[in-house]
Amino acid sequence: ILIGKQSVGKSRLIEALAGETFNFISGSLGSRRPTVLEFRNVASAKVSRWHVRDQKTGQWEEHPIDRVMKLVGQLHQELGESVSAEPIYVRIESCGCVDMQIV
């Protein structure tokens, strides 16, 4: 679990672990719900593969990284000024990351 005040570098740390720019960034309250990030090392992967788990079906859906950014941003912003305990699940499969999970 990664917890810290706003704008102290949590997103940068996650991006360093993923090996890519990813995390939703906002000048205001950006993270309005937990985001569960799964990093899976796939030694044979030539490119990173990003997935978001559909909240209704529970199925993993692969998307380009820019679409993942948009989806995560929308899921945070749809709450308006409130927050939620319902997490967003994101998975990255890459030869450049280690096997771990971060909430």
Side-chain angles (χ1 to χ4, degrees), residues 6-83:
Q6 184 176 351
S7 300
V8 295
K10 298 179 302 293
S11 297
R12 297 294 149 273
L13 174 61
I14 292 170
E15 289 171 349
L17 293 169
E20 300 184 40
T21 300
F22 160 70
N23 216 2
F24 175 72
I25 300 165
S26 172
S28 62
L29 180 63
S31 297
R32 301 177 197 290
R33 57 177 16 131
T35 304
V36 178
L37 299 171
E38 289 184 24
F39 299 123
R40 292 190 181 173
N41 180 275
V42 179
S44 62
K46 303 287 186 213
V47 296
S48 299
R49 296 178 55 200
W50 290 82
H51 303 80
V52 176
R53 195 166 81 184
D54 184 276
Q55 291 183 305
K56 292 180 181 138
T57 67
Q59 299 294 313
W60 288 101
E61 299 176 349
E62 185 174 354
H63 300 282
I65 190 170
D66 59 333
R67 179 72 179 134
V68 171
M69 289 276 286
K70 184 177 269 188
L71 288 169
V72 171
Q74 289 171 346
L75 289 168
H76 284 291
Q77 296 290 31
E78 74 184 15
L79 294 173
E81 295 297 318
S82 62
V83 295

